[in-house]
């Protein structure tokens, strides 16, 4: 029997920004539950909830202080149970974030660990002696800038933090740490969650010898020092596979559950890791890629990412998305002018449904949401504040969901929202698009319905017919039928000659004149042929 997650479209909800129910300006679990009908109306299969656990919120919940408690900001455990029940009633699976590579420095485990070198949790985090000159033990950098090591006066040692100094890394070389984390995950499995999204899954295990990372090759110094190294020893270690096997053994005890891991690494290494982590049946069910979350909007880029994964992991499984809570929204990244934003949004979803694997959608994407311009005094994302304005951080993609342009804060909250709702974003509210047949919102619904109706898009083999730039073609073949999506990744119209017998079918942004397919700027079409017939002349 085919697993549900292989055909799934997963809708990511950022709880802080989805719907505020109690008027404090911060989204909550009750608010999410109230809006699940909208999510279900899109035709998605599952929701992924970013962290809602107890946390001091130095990194917006990705610094967990208690893995089995709901933060009062978001509600109660009873609110979570009600959310799961309602989601399941609507036919939606529930996936929750698990931030296992590190905790908050306010977690009880770390508070005990830092007291000294002989307490029961002394070895639960990555501690190391200073060099003779008092400096950190090696050259590993933090993703958020500076050294990945912070000195603790109590222990006279450094602890590892790959992210903020308030996010100390757990020591996965200690089996007791993995045992404890498995127990925390079991708590949520028993509450009926259908899967886990594993944050920074390739950061779990560090090099036990703490060897220096080698320098990367580059012509100009990267804008962020993290890019100046090959992160050979600080992450993506081969020992990580054994940890994944232990996590998989736990989830396999529960029917129909899954794990999707967030894999972030450099270039082709990311594809190789996705392949390693999803090959066979004893590790991750699928891997979530950063590969398509970039500014690269060229046919070659999409082909290389997808074909690279297919070549490296013929029995693995990917999850592709264009936006999430960590990157600039793709409409802003890819549109060559503001007038092109809706057109790019419509093309994006019709292109995404042509890709093999599981698909991910980030809240607001379905209304063509653009990046919010955040001013310095409005910043809340402290991780990148030192890089302002070259890197404006992640607040711009995390601003509240917009429901009704005529309501206060576009229907998100009656209170003062934690991030501002600005007019360009409010103008894209759900209510204004709901009844418009040609809106971005209804384009998303139609595209996802088309994917469900076409087994070629869910089950078919994948090839990439050769077309000249800026055209991308993705063919999906199943039981003698070939369905080819063709996409103009430019703001200039393109003409394509269809082969004899090829016919346009399904979503179409353009026109067919005789045997000529005319795609406008950022246009798209689907062409149907038999499996042994070419789509293009």
């Amino acid at each position: 029997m085919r697993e549900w997650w292989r055909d799934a479209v997963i809708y990511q909800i950022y709880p802080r920004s989805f719907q505020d129910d109690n008027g404090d300006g911060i989204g909550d679990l009750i608010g999410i539950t109230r809006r699940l009908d909208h999510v279900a109306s899109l035709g998605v299969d599952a929701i992924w909830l970013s962290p809602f656990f107890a946390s001091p919120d130095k990194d917006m919940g990705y610094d967990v202080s208690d893995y089995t408690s709901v933060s009062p900001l978001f509600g109660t455990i009873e609110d979570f149970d009600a959310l799961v029940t309602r989601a399941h009633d609507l036919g939606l699976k529930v996936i929750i974030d698990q931030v296992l590579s590190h905790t908050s420095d306010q977690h009880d485990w770390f508070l005990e660990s830092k007291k000294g070198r002989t307490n029961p949790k002394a070895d639960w985090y990555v501690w190391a002696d200073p060099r003779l000159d008092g400096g950190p033990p090696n050259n590993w950098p933090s993703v958020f800038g500076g050294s990945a090591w912070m000195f603790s006066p109590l222990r006279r040692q450094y602890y590892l933090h790959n992210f903020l100094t308030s996010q100390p890394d757990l020591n996965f070389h200690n089996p007791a740490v993995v045992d404890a984390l498995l127990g925390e995950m079991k708590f949520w499995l028993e509450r009926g969650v259908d899967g886990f999204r594993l944050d920074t899954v390739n950061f779990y295990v560090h090099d036990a010898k703490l060897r220096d990372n080698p320098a990367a090759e580059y012509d100009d110094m990267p804008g962020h020092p993290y890019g100046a190294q090959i992160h050979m020893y600080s992450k993506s270690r081969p020992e990580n596979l054994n940890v994944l096997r232990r996590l998989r053994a736990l989830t396999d005890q529960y029917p129909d559950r899954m794990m999707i891991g967030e894999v972030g690494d450099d270039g082709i290494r990311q594809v190789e890791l996705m392949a390693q982590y999803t090959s066979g049946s004893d590790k991750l069910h699928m891997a979530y890629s950063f590969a398509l979350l970039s500014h690269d909007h060229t046919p070659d880029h999409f082909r290389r990412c997808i074909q690279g994964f297919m070549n490296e992991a013929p029995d693995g499984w990917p999850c592709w998305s264009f936006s999430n809570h960590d990157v600039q929204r793709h409409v802003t990244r890819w549109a060559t002018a503001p007038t092109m934003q809706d057109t790019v949004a419509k093309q994006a979803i019709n292109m995404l449904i042509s890709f093999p694997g599981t698909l991910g959608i980030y809240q607001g994407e379905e209304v063509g949401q653009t990046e919010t311009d955040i001013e310095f005094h409005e910043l809340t994302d402290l991780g990148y504040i030192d890089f302002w304005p070259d890197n404006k951080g992640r607040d711009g993609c995390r601003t509240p969901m917009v429901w009704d342009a005529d309501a206060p804060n576009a229907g998100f909250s009656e209170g003062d929202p934690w991030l501002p709702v600005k007019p360009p974003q409010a103008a894209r509210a759900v209510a204004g698009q709901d009844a418009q047949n040609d809106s971005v919102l209804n384009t998303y619904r139609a595209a996802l319905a088309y994917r469900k109706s076409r087994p070629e898009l869910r089950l078919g083999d994948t090839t990439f017919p050769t077309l000249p730039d800026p055209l991308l073609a993705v063919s999906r073949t199943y039981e003698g039928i070939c369905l080819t999506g063709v996409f103009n990744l430019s703001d200039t119209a393109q003409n394509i000659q269809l082969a004899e017998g090829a016919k346009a079918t399904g979503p179409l942004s353009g026109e067919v004149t005789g045997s000529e397919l005319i795609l406008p700027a950022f246009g798209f079409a689907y062409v149907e042929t038999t499996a042994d017939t070419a789509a293009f002349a």
Side-chain angles (χ1 to χ4, degrees):
M1 180 177 177
R2 187 175 174 84
E3 303 95 329
W4 65 266
W5 45 267
R6 289 188 184 273
D7 298 331
V9 178
I10 301 171
Y11 183 92
Q12 182 192 355
I13 292 175
Y14 196 68
R16 185 178 296 267
S17 294
F18 199 61
Q19 178 65 63
D20 173 25
D21 189 76
N22 62 9
D24 66 355
I26 296 174
D28 45 48
L29 296 177
I30 292 178
I32 294 172
T33 303
R34 176 154 64 89
R35 294 295 189 179
L36 285 179
D37 289 272
H38 164 76
V39 178
S41 79
L42 300 175
V44 302
D45 305 286
I47 58 173
W48 150 28
L49 299 176
S50 289
F52 53 86
F53 315 108
S55 168
D57 285 325
K58 298 294 180 61
D59 189 23
M60 298 302 163
Y62 283 88
D63 49 327
V64 178
S65 57
D66 187 338
Y67 285 106
T68 58
S69 292
V70 173
S71 168
L73 283 176
F74 301 122
T76 66
I77 193 68
E78 291 77 18
D79 295 336
F80 176 80
D81 291 340
L83 187 158
V84 172
T85 298
R86 179 59 180 156
H88 287 168
D89 287 346
L90 290 169
L92 297 170
K93 305 287 188 181
V94 178
I95 301 164
I96 65 172
D97 239 308
Q98 292 286 271
V99 190
L100 306 181
S101 68
H102 53 265
T103 69
S104 163
D105 61 358
Q106 300 305 305
H107 197 294
D108 286 346
W109 297 347
F110 187 72
L111 294 176
E112 182 172 356
S113 185
K114 75 175 185 177
K115 288 178 181 177
R117 306 188 186 192
T118 59
N119 67 74
K121 295 203 170 43
D123 194 35
W124 278 44
Y125 291 82
V126 183
W127 294 97
D129 292 331
R131 293 196 302 255
L132 290 177
D133 63 1
N138 61 28
N139 70 345
W140 297 351
S142 163
V143 173
F144 291 148
S147 172
W149 296 95
M150 184 66 183
F151 187 72
S152 171
L154 284 174
R155 287 187 51 143
R156 303 293 195 272
Q157 286 184 305
Y158 283 88
Y159 66 84
L160 178 67
H161 63 91
N162 275 296
F163 299 93
L164 295 176
T165 58
S166 56
Q167 293 171 298
D169 275 62
L170 286 161
N171 178 17
F172 280 79
H173 290 288
N174 184 342
V177 170
V178 182
D179 290 341
L181 292 172
L182 291 172
E184 311 290 55
M185 294 172 69
K186 185 173 182 179
F187 173 87
W188 296 105
L189 288 167
E190 294 289 341
R191 299 202 89 85
V193 303
D194 301 287
F196 298 115
R197 182 264 189 185
L198 301 174
D199 185 63
T200 58
V201 73
N202 57 311
F203 280 80
Y204 291 170
V205 181
H206 67 285
D207 176 48
K209 296 179 180 179
L210 303 182
R211 287 170 283 187
D212 280 352
N213 283 328
E217 293 184 9
Y218 52 84
D219 295 326
D220 297 312
M221 177 66 190
H224 191 315
Y226 194 79
Q229 290 185 8
I230 299 172
H231 305 283
M232 182 179 297
Y233 297 114
S234 53
K235 65 180 182 181
S236 306
R237 300 299 301 157
E239 301 93 329
N240 214 41
L241 296 175
N242 289 329
V243 175
L244 300 184
R245 291 185 179 101
R246 293 201 62 191
L247 302 183
R248 179 62 178 265
L250 171 66
T251 50
D252 281 350
Q253 296 173 25
Y254 297 82
D256 298 325
R257 311 301 170 93
M258 55 74 74
M259 296 188 303
I260 175 172
E262 176 199 37
V263 178
D265 212 306
D266 308 314
I268 192 62
R269 179 64 176 148
Q270 178 169 256
V271 174
E272 293 171 350
L273 287 173
M274 289 174 66
Q276 290 177 17
Y277 287 9
T278 62
S279 63
S281 59
D282 62 344
K283 296 178 287 295
L284 299 179
H285 297 81
M286 56 182 163
Y288 180 87
S289 173
F290 275 77
L292 305 186
L293 302 177
S294 73
H295 284 76
D296 197 334
H297 190 237
T298 60
D300 183 61
H301 176 67
F302 293 110
R303 282 193 297 264
R304 279 190 291 106
C305 291
I306 297 169
Q307 189 68 62
F309 182 88
M310 292 164 52
N311 291 343
E312 291 285 340
D315 63 341
W317 203 256
C319 180
W320 307 108
S321 64
F322 295 149
S323 286
N324 69 13
H325 65 291
D326 280 333
V327 298
Q328 188 182 57
R329 287 184 176 273
H330 65 265
V331 169
T332 298
R333 295 200 311 268
W334 294 341
T336 54
T339 55
M340 290 284 99
Q341 289 171 344
D342 281 1
T343 305
V344 167
K346 292 174 182 179
Q347 183 193 67
I349 186 58
N350 282 286
M351 182 165 66
L352 188 64
I353 65 169
S354 75
F355 294 172
T358 301
L359 310 180
I361 293 173
Y362 177 46
Q363 66 179 51
E365 178 182 327
E366 74 272 25
V367 293
Q369 195 54 276
T370 56
E371 189 82 355
T372 303
D373 186 14
I374 297 294
E375 298 178 23
F376 187 81
H377 72 275
E378 297 168 326
L379 284 176
T380 67
D381 184 14
L382 302 181
Y384 292 98
I385 196 167
D386 290 339
F387 295 94
W388 176 277
D390 295 320
N391 185 331
K392 293 190 175 183
R394 301 165 294 182
D395 287 325
C397 65
R398 297 176 174 182
T399 53
M401 183 71 181
V402 291
W403 301 101
D404 185 345
D406 295 328
N409 302 308
F412 166 69
S413 175
E414 294 181 358
D416 187 21
W418 74 284
L419 280 174
V421 179
K422 299 191 176 184
Q425 284 66 51
R428 296 180 172 276
V430 170
Q433 296 196 33
D434 211 19
Q436 297 178 10
N437 290 335
D438 63 345
S439 68
V440 175
L441 176 58
N442 283 313
T443 298
Y444 265 68
R445 288 169 174 156
L448 296 181
Y450 185 66
R451 180 178 183 266
K452 280 192 187 321
S453 73
R454 298 299 304 239
E456 298 86 1
L457 297 180
R458 294 179 289 106
L459 308 172
D461 295 329
T462 307
T463 55
F464 296 91
T466 300
L467 287 176
D469 284 353
L471 297 169
L472 170 68
V474 186
S475 289
R476 308 294 305 282
T477 304
Y478 183 73
E479 293 189 346
I481 301 296
C482 181
L483 194 61
T484 300
V486 56
F487 311 98
N488 174 14
L489 303 185
S490 78
D491 55 10
T492 303
Q494 303 290 322
N495 295 1
I496 308 160
Q497 285 297 125
L498 297 179
E500 184 177 353
K503 62 178 181 178
T505 183
L508 173 65
S509 169
E511 59 179 329
V512 178
T513 303
S515 62
E516 188 172 54
L517 172 62
I518 304 170
L519 291 183
F522 300 109
F524 56 87
Y526 276 84
V527 177
E528 184 174 329
T529 63
T530 58
D532 56 357
T533 303
F536 310 110

